[in-house]
């Protein structure tokens, strides 16, 4: 099969190479079709996406994306947000698992965050009334809320998980979060075997830090989902091991959760784990379960041994040495 690979900015091209190396080493039937996108491409050409990128995703349906830089406050909109909206990848799925060998507060975390990906404050409807007043619109629809909640319960059912927790602030945002919660309650009725729980977002942050093991599948509107996902990544040692999948009815775009790490770009010391785990998620969704498990297992063995790992997790190895060690472990 063919799939699109977008290396992205900063460390993106370095970690994308590791995906290509693993694809070859594992003899996988995937031919990567590469396209550029992001700030560096925009600086060179004035365009954010290389021509043909959007059409390639339309054609091949599956894509893996490295991090892309987004200017803060001014400039073009985030490549991620644009792709999610263009390809209606309405669910952002982030599994959060503990990794042996990684220093973290907890060592038995296994939860999944399912974040609505297309609306809320990320819709980008904002404007300036004058120099000193700006306004942003929090757009929530019943359709998108029901769709994401149904996805979360279906995910729980298929993966034998027992509880879905809705994150909200409906006590204050009665119409917007209220609508999300109403949709959650309606959908929950169709899944009587799965426990449905509702937690206000601020309390949720505290509960996750104090008692993360009490949660299973979390579902949230876009903004809370974004913030809580990073909090959860922190519970298992940071963004270095956090993959995500942007899932739509037709298209799927997988990515590492971290950014383009401009401070270490071009030095061959970036940790490729999150992008490799995003690749493993993609393989799993493609039904290549054995390959996905083999990749995860080889990666976790190398990390657990701590002999050939990158500086961000306490080692001295380069990205390529780390990847070679994973290939050896396979
Ligand atoms: P960042 O995640 O790029 O970096 C934060 C810190 O973590 C840095 O010290 C960096 O060196 C380190 N780090 C991140 N990934 C690493 C890796 N794989 N291996 C080793 N160390 C790693 O976040 P920051 O600095 O806030 O953002 C930089 C740029 O990335 C911004 O332009 C931002 O918009 C973009 N970004 C893109 C994302 C995406 O495309 N999915 C997600 C988050 C940020």
């Amino acid at each position: 099969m063919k799939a699109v690979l977008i290396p992205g900015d900063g460390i993106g091209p370095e970690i994308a190479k590791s995906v290509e190396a693993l694809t070859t080493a594992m003899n996988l039937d995937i031919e990567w079709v590469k396209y550029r996108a992001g700030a560096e491409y925009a600086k060179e050409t004035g365009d954010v996406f290389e021509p043909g990128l959007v059409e390639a995703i339309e054609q091949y349906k599956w894509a893996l994306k490295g991090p892309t830089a987004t200017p803060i406050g001014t400039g073009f909109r985030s490549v991620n947000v644009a792709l999610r909206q263009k390809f209606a990848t309405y669910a952002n799925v982030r599994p959060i698992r503990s990794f042996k060998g990684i220093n973290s507060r907890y060592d038995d975390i296994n939860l999944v965050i399912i974040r609505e990906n297309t609306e809320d404050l990320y819709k980008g409807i904002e404007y300036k009334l004058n120099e000193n007043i700006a306004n942003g619109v929090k757009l929530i629809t019943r359709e998108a809320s029901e769709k994401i909640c149904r996805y979360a319960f279906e995910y729980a059912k298929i993966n034998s998980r027992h509880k879905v927790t809705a994150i909200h602030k409906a006590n204050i945002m009665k119409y917007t979060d209220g609508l999300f919660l109403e949709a959650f309650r309606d959908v929950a009725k169709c899944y009587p075997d799965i426990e449905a729980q509702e937690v206000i977002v601020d309390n949720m942050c505290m509960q996750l830090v104090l008692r993360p093991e009490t949660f299973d599948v979390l579902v949230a509107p876009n903004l809370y989902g974004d913030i809580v996902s990073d909090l959860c990544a922190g519970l298992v040692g940071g963004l270095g091991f956090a993959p995500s999948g942007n899932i739509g009815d037709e298209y799927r775009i997988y990515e590492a959760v971290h950014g383009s790490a401009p401070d270490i770009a071009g030095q061959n010391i970036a940790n490729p784990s999150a992008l490799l785990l995003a690749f493993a998620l993609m393989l799993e969704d493609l039904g290549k379960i054995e390959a996905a498990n083999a990749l995860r297992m080889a990666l976790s063995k190398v990390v657990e041994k701590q002999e050939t790992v990158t500086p961000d997790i306490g080692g001295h190895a380069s990205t390529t040495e780390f990847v070679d060690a994973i290939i050896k472990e396979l």
Side-chain angles (χ1 to χ4, degrees):
M1 68 172 283
K2 283 187 178 178
V4 176
L5 181 62
I6 306 167
D9 290 315
I11 59 169
E14 297 160 61
I15 56 176
K17 265 192 202 145
S18 61
V19 172
E20 292 180 282
L22 262 304
T23 308
T24 308
M26 295 174 79
N27 210 9
L28 293 167
D29 160 35
I30 296 174
E31 186 188 326
W32 295 108
V33 186
K34 282 202 271 184
Y35 282 93
R36 293 184 66 198
E40 286 158 28
Y41 185 72
K43 206 170 160 192
E44 281 171 37
T45 65
D47 289 325
V48 180
F49 297 115
E50 189 176 340
L53 165 62
V54 168
E55 292 77 7
I57 299 180
E58 276 168 354
Q59 186 176 354
Y60 304 125
K61 319 274 190 221
W62 296 75
L64 183 64
K65 188 192 147 293
T68 42
T70 313
I72 294 176
T74 55
F76 60 85
R77 280 187 72 198
S78 148
V79 169
N80 301 319
V81 175
L83 287 176
R84 287 168 194 165
Q85 293 189 356
K86 165 80 191 150
F87 291 103
T89 52
Y90 63 90
N92 183 266
V93 180
R94 283 200 200 179
I96 306 279
R97 290 199 192 110
S98 304
F99 239 84
K100 279 192 187 141
I102 296 300
N103 259 341
S104 64
R105 287 178 194 280
Y106 299 95
D107 52 17
D108 54 353
I109 306 280
N110 181 5
L111 45 87
V112 179
I113 304 175
I114 295 174
R115 157 187 170 196
E116 204 290 322
N117 224 3
T118 62
E119 56 180 29
D120 197 349
L121 281 158
Y122 287 41
K123 195 77 186 166
I125 310 171
E126 55 173 11
Y127 56 92
K128 267 191 153 177
L129 276 171
N130 60 39
E131 266 314 292
N132 301 310
I133 305 178
N135 191 16
V137 176
K138 178 173 162 94
L139 186 90
I140 300 284
T141 64
R142 174 172 275 275
E143 190 188 353
S145 302
E146 273 186 15
K147 204 163 179 179
I148 197 68
C149 291
R150 196 168 299 285
Y151 186 92
F153 278 96
E154 277 299 313
Y155 184 98
K157 194 168 126 185
I158 292 165
N159 292 285
S160 308
R161 289 180 177 262
H162 307 294
K163 180 159 94 170
V164 178
T165 305
I167 306 173
H168 69 95
K169 187 83 186 178
N171 50 332
I172 305 294
M173 280 161 274
K174 295 182 193 297
Y175 289 107
T176 48
D177 283 7
L179 186 56
F180 180 83
L181 209 51
E182 243 175 69
F184 175 77
R185 287 175 186 160
D186 286 349
V187 171
K189 284 183 200 143
C190 308
Y191 298 85
D193 298 335
I194 298 170
E195 185 187 341
Q197 182 189 30
E198 299 167 7
V199 181
I200 292 175
V201 61
D202 36 356
N203 181 26
M204 187 73 206
C205 292
M206 183 179 71
Q207 296 299 335
L208 275 167
V209 172
L210 291 175
R211 284 176 279 276
E213 71 286 353
T214 59
F215 297 103
D216 196 351
V217 175
L218 312 178
V219 64
N222 210 338
L223 178 63
Y224 309 145
D226 193 7
I227 296 167
V228 170
S229 302
D230 276 24
L231 187 155
C232 288
L235 297 175
V236 295
L239 291 181
F241 290 82
S244 82
N246 297 290
I247 313 292
D249 291 331
E250 250 191 288
Y251 305 101
R252 289 161 179 260
I253 303 172
Y254 297 82
E255 62 186 333
V257 171
H258 61 71
S260 58
D263 52 336
I264 58 161
Q267 299 175 33
N268 194 25
I269 53 165
N271 182 350
S273 299
L275 195 64
L276 289 175
L277 289 171
F279 182 33
L281 265 187
M282 174 177 161
L283 291 172
E284 196 172 83
D285 290 349
L286 279 166
K288 300 177 189 292
I289 311 285
E290 254 177 54
N293 287 340
L295 174 52
R296 281 195 197 110
M297 196 86 82
L299 172 60
S300 44
K301 275 190 188 153
V302 175
V303 173
E304 196 178 346
K305 282 185 192 164
Q306 285 284 305
E307 286 162 5
T308 325
V309 292
T310 43
D312 59 303
I313 47 172
H316 302 285
S318 66
T319 310
T320 28
E321 286 165 342
F322 188 9
V323 173
D324 288 345
I326 298 169
I327 292 172
K328 227 186 216 169
E329 203 63 63
L330 278 163

